[in-house]
Amino acid sequence: MLLRGFLPVAIGLAIFLHAPAWAQVKGVALVKVDDPMQGTIPKIVHGHGTVLPQTIKTESFQRDGQVSDILVEVGEQFKMGDPLLDFGASPAAVVAYEQAKSALRLAEGTRARAAELVKLKLATADQLDVAEKALSDAQLTKLMLEKQGAIKPSEILEAPFDGVVVAIAVAKGDRIAAGATLMTLAQTDKLRLAVGIEPSDIEKVKPGLPVRLVSPLSGRKPFKATVRSVGAAIDPKTRLVPAFMDVPRDSALAGENVVAAIPVGEFRGWLVPRDAVGADKKSAYVFQVDEGHAKRIDVTVVGSDNDNSVLSGDINPDLKLVVWGGYQLGDGDAVRTQAAQGEAENRNQ
């Protein structure tokens, strides 16, 4: 029984003897501190957008026909001049052309007979004029069908530029009316991007500003672009104003979503780690150490990035600034300090 009572006391005494000095002082908090410093962080306007091809073109033939074969698939890349689709004459077009040839032969015969009858004074000049008009109409009909390609058993749709197949609107064997869309092509050597910007920020975004673009896709590297122009109206769907920029070739994929960061200036003031700033109903605040006690300093957060905040307020440059551990402090609390190695250098980079 005596041993049971002695064991907790012995354990507690051992902890007390081996604990650091600051832990032996009740109510004293350990904090990390650094010298206050002035600095800047970039003022960033953020936006979102989708990389799109500079040129999107729909392809068709201006004649009726039938899809003999499709030589590419959606998403496939091609080079200028590559065959994309085999387009043949439709049965109706073939019949129409044969009818036109027959009508032309008939009109030629009628006109020849009318001319002979006129010579024999068995027909009038008006009858010859009618025959010549019919011959002219038959010639024009045949010529029109030939120009439309109705007599071609096969015609290859060739790529007009380097690009990628965005959509195919037909299937093999389909009979297609003149002018119907066959496929949609995108030119991939030139990409464009419209980034949606909050209307309140649009006055800050100017042509020529650099842009850092980040894709949410895993493994994709950030890339850079330049603002080309800024829209003059709010997009009714997104309620944002578009900022247009050209995207360097091979830096992004057509259809890729990106997050844009556009530096439009800088925030200047007291530069502190973002986690050093607390906030309550009254204001934002930081702590400085004055004669071993925490001193609350109310501040205004001018701007922030991922790691740092820029503050304005009555920060004393001669007193250490609490950069870690402020969450446990109240105004006037006793503190024990530890230097924050490298904090100032990191903030200044």
Side-chain angles (χ1 to χ4, degrees):
M1 294 296 292
L2 181 59
L3 182 59
R4 289 183 181 178
F6 175 75
L7 187 58
V9 175
I11 294 174
L13 181 59
I15 293 175
F16 176 80
L17 291 175
H18 288 85
W22 61 266
Q24 299 173 28
V25 183
K26 185 177 181 180
V28 177
L30 176 66
V31 295
K32 291 183 180 181
V33 295
D34 207 343
D35 294 324
M37 62 175 293
Q38 294 275 341
T40 62
I41 59 174
K43 186 184 298 184
I44 302 294
V45 169
H46 293 281
H48 297 77
T50 302
V51 177
L52 298 174
Q54 188 84 347
T55 301
I56 297 180
K57 185 180 180 182
T58 57
E59 294 291 339
S60 63
F61 284 111
Q62 298 307 310
R63 65 180 176 94
D64 296 343
Q66 187 171 18
V67 179
S68 301
D69 199 6
I70 299 174
L71 308 175
V72 290
E73 297 180 357
V74 173
E76 185 173 343
Q77 290 186 322
F78 53 78
K79 296 292 184 181
M80 183 175 178
D82 285 352
L84 305 177
L85 180 144
D86 188 353
F87 192 74
S90 69
V94 173
V95 170
Y97 183 67
E98 292 299 325
Q99 289 174 340
K101 290 194 294 184
S102 297
L104 178 59
R105 287 194 297 269
L106 178 61
E108 289 172 339
T110 301
R111 192 268 177 200
R113 287 191 297 272
E116 290 294 329
L117 291 174
V118 168
K119 289 180 180 181
L120 298 174
K121 298 184 179 181
L122 298 175
T124 66
D126 289 343
Q127 290 174 312
L128 178 60
D129 290 342
V130 171
E132 288 180 341
K133 175 65 167 59
L135 175 60
S136 176
D137 289 347
Q139 289 172 334
L140 290 174
T141 299
K142 178 175 177 289
L143 180 61
M144 177 191 68
L145 292 172
E146 288 173 347
K147 287 186 174 181
Q148 288 180 346
I151 61 172
K152 295 180 180 178
S154 177
E155 185 173 3
I156 300 298
L157 174 64
E158 295 183 347
F161 44 67
D162 294 352
V164 64
V165 180
V166 175
I168 298 176
V170 295
K172 184 177 179 179
D174 285 353
R175 296 181 180 180
I176 305 299
T181 297
L182 300 173
M183 58 178 59
T184 303
L185 311 176
Q187 190 172 5
T188 53
D189 60 341
K190 295 181 180 179
L191 300 175
R192 61 186 175 89
L193 173 63
V195 172
I197 304 295
E198 290 290 344
S200 59
D201 289 329
I202 204 63
E203 290 297 326
K204 307 169 189 174
V205 179
K206 305 295 182 183
L209 286 177
V211 185
R212 186 175 187 268
L213 299 166
V214 179
S215 171
L217 297 177
S218 177
R220 299 289 292 163
K221 294 181 179 179
F223 57 98
K224 296 180 180 179
T226 303
V227 176
R228 174 166 46 86
S229 62
V230 179
I234 296 175
D235 188 313
K237 294 182 179 180
T238 63
R239 308 307 301 169
L240 301 173
V241 179
F244 302 98
M245 51 202 70
D246 295 325
V247 178
R249 184 177 180 177
D250 299 329
S251 61
L253 300 173
E256 186 173 9
N257 294 325
V258 294
V259 178
I262 308 172
V264 296
E266 61 182 19
F267 296 109
R268 177 174 292 276
W270 295 106
L271 188 62
V272 303
R274 192 167 184 172
D275 292 340
V277 184
D280 56 21
K281 294 181 180 179
K282 182 181 177 183
S283 70
Y285 60 87
V286 295
F287 287 104
Q288 289 191 272
V289 178
D290 187 4
E291 297 183 352
H293 290 79
K295 181 179 180 181
R296 171 174 167 147
I297 308 294
D298 291 336
V299 295
T300 299
V301 179
V302 178
S304 296
D305 60 14
N306 292 332
D307 301 316
N308 300 308
S309 292
V310 170
L311 313 176
S312 64
D314 296 328
I315 293 177
N316 188 335
D318 297 325
L319 298 180
K320 293 290 187 180
L321 179 74
V322 176
V323 296
W324 179 88
Y327 58 87
Q328 61 186 322
L329 297 180
D331 193 21
D333 285 354
V335 296
R336 191 168 176 82
T337 62
Q338 177 181 336
Q341 296 295 330
E343 290 290 342
E345 289 81 356
N346 292 336
R347 280 181 278 148
N348 201 31
Q349 287 179 353

